[in-house]
Amino acid sequence: MVVDNDVNVMALGEIYQGAGKSIDNLIFVKIGTGIGAGIVCEGEIYRGSSGCAGDIGHISVDKNGPMCHCGNKGCLEAVAAGPAIAERSVQVARAGKSPILLSYYEKNGNTLTPEDVGNASREGDAQAIEVIRESGQFIGEVLAGLVNFYNPGMIVIGGGVSNLGNLLLSSIRQAVLCRSLPLATRDLLIVFSEIGPDAGVIGAINLAIDNMLSLAASQVEAAGA
Ligand SMILES: [Zn+2]
């Protein structure tokens, strides 16, 4: 049984059958209740020395920001992942700044989900749009650092919060283009996952096949030795 971190498996799905099919160097970013990245380097997953490469959700973006479950303050996922989007929108609704968010809030029994915020933004609610734009900006600023450091050919955005749509993607793009070096972004593509939730399944199947093939190859090698 081959076990891998789900974001790595999703990144593999993207290079096998998704947006990244012809891309050798790619970063897959999963935005959901947390934020993590799968790194594809020269066509293969890069896991790092201890297997935790790509844990971008705990990069600090605001030292005075909210407490993260890791114990630090202002980590990317504490300010920009799904729960943070919902929490900021609850504050806006409670402050009476957005009748649309308030109506979702009351309808849901005094709570909001990122989907509600997405719906409110599509209804043209300026506050919901601002909350999503802010999250995209934070994520984009971290990705800009990764682009300067790693020079990927593509960034693929997936995970539940990617359902927030083009507003999120355009905010991410804008921040990356604004803060990365022009040479690094000249040919860079920033796209949503084409295969969505299936990326993990496709990646897992391909990972298992690759492992079977390499096991078979090593057995042939051993038999021939
Ligand atoms: Zn953290």
Side-chain angles (χ1 to χ4, degrees), residues 57-59 67-78:
H58 301 285
I59 291 177
M67 201 71 186
C68 179
H69 60 87
C70 76
N72 287 319
K73 271 187 169 178
C75 294
L76 177 64
E77 70 179 42

Side-chain angles (χ1 to χ4, degrees), residues 21-140:
K21 251 187 282 189
S22 56
I23 308 286
D24 289 333
N25 299 304
L26 170 151
I27 298 175
F28 176 84
V29 184
K30 183 184 177 196
I31 311 169
T33 52
I35 298 178
I39 303 161
V40 175
C41 180
E42 303 299 336
E44 292 191 4
I45 290 292
Y46 175 78
R47 297 182 176 84
S49 300
S50 316
C52 64
D55 204 351
I56 64 170
H58 301 285
I59 291 177
S60 171
V61 294
D62 178 5
K63 63 180 176 7
N64 299 314
M67 201 71 186
C68 179
H69 60 87
C70 76
N72 287 319
K73 271 187 169 178
C75 294
L76 177 64
E77 70 179 42
V79 302
I85 289 172
E87 176 55 32
R88 280 211 304 282
S89 303
V90 164
Q91 286 167 10
V92 166
R94 282 195 189 140
K97 291 181 187 165
S98 157
I100 296 179
L101 283 173
L102 185 62
S103 75
Y104 278 109
Y105 176 75
E106 288 174 342
K107 201 160 60 184
N108 284 352
N110 296 346
T111 182
L112 282 171
T113 65
E115 291 73 42
D116 297 326
V117 186
N119 289 335
S121 77
R122 281 185 281 274
E123 289 169 43
D125 183 76
Q127 297 289 334
I129 289 171
E130 182 55 22
V131 167
I132 295 172
R133 204 195 54 77
E134 265 178 20
S135 269
Q137 176 99 23
F138 278 124
I139 296 165

